Amino acid sequence: MKRGAIKYRECKVDNRLDERRGHAVMEVGTEVTGGRFQILSLDGGGLRGMFSAAVLARLEEDLDLRVTDHFDLIAGTSTGGIIAVGLGLGLTPRQILQFYTDHGPRIFRDRSRLRGARQLLRAKYAAEPLRAALTEVLGERTFGESTKRLLITSYNIGADDVYLFRTPHLATLKRDWRERAVNVAMATAAAPTYLPGMALGGARLVDGGVWANNPAMVALTEAVGPLGVPLEQIRVFSLGTTTDRPHRSRRLDRGGLLPWARDVVEVLMRAQSESATKQVRHFLGNGNVLRLNPTVPTGALALDKVDADSLIGLAGHESRVASPAFTRCFADHFAPAYVPFYPARKD
């Protein structure tokens, strides 16, 4: 089987844990108790997020359901973080896909003749086109207005520490819910070298992909630790943004700055993604994890440049193949309504 291909197995979570067709017993002010708990994890990948949005849109249309109805926690990094925030604020996957097709070319457009030279000293693209596009669809709403539990990754380069935006699904989470949703999306998507960092409350935030481009393990940690969900009750749908398998020159074996200069970032991000998937499968078992991240030809897609028609077409194919597994593993669970500890207030 090719690397990145889908390997489907029958989900093996004991249905006795979910006797009311997935309606778990969850109360605000307590740990999550009883019933199945399902996680939607969304990788980073820039404009390749079009693939993730298109997969979710086609699943909704083919299966006549709302994807968000079937997940108790949504985690996202970078472009996956943007999708997660959009889903939490009520946008459909089809609307999010339209956001990418309408605004993507304008977000990643640079008319400067000195673009290559400028990127040596500053970000390749300005932040304002992305902010304007996000504001158009998210408005002035706050992160706390999400109707789903959200976990959005970022990194604070000032403190050299991971930074997580978390909806107020625990009593201790008293800050992030007040932030504008646009600011959260900007922080998770501030990919180094592509976009400038995001200053927020004294923190210097950049793309969460520098440590968790695949946030599946971060989400599992949130579920098992703070939320207190038993491992045997958890299922994860981990959605990537496609991958490729470039040739690794034997010059890398000798080490050195020059041989590794081109490959080091991609190798580190791939390693994190692969390790996160394997760790989640180790804890939950292969039968409780569905990973969708197809392999494409090397160089066919970039963070800031994609063939939209081809990528959406690939999503149509992959979603069709994955549909039976999604139905079998996730569609029979309906997430109980999420009640935040601190209801969003509009000033």
Side-chain angles (χ1 to χ4, degrees), residues 200-219:
L200 192 64
R204 298 161 55 199
L205 303 179
V206 297
D207 195 316
V210 302
W211 69 280
N213 200 57
N214 174 354
M217 190 63 196
V218 183

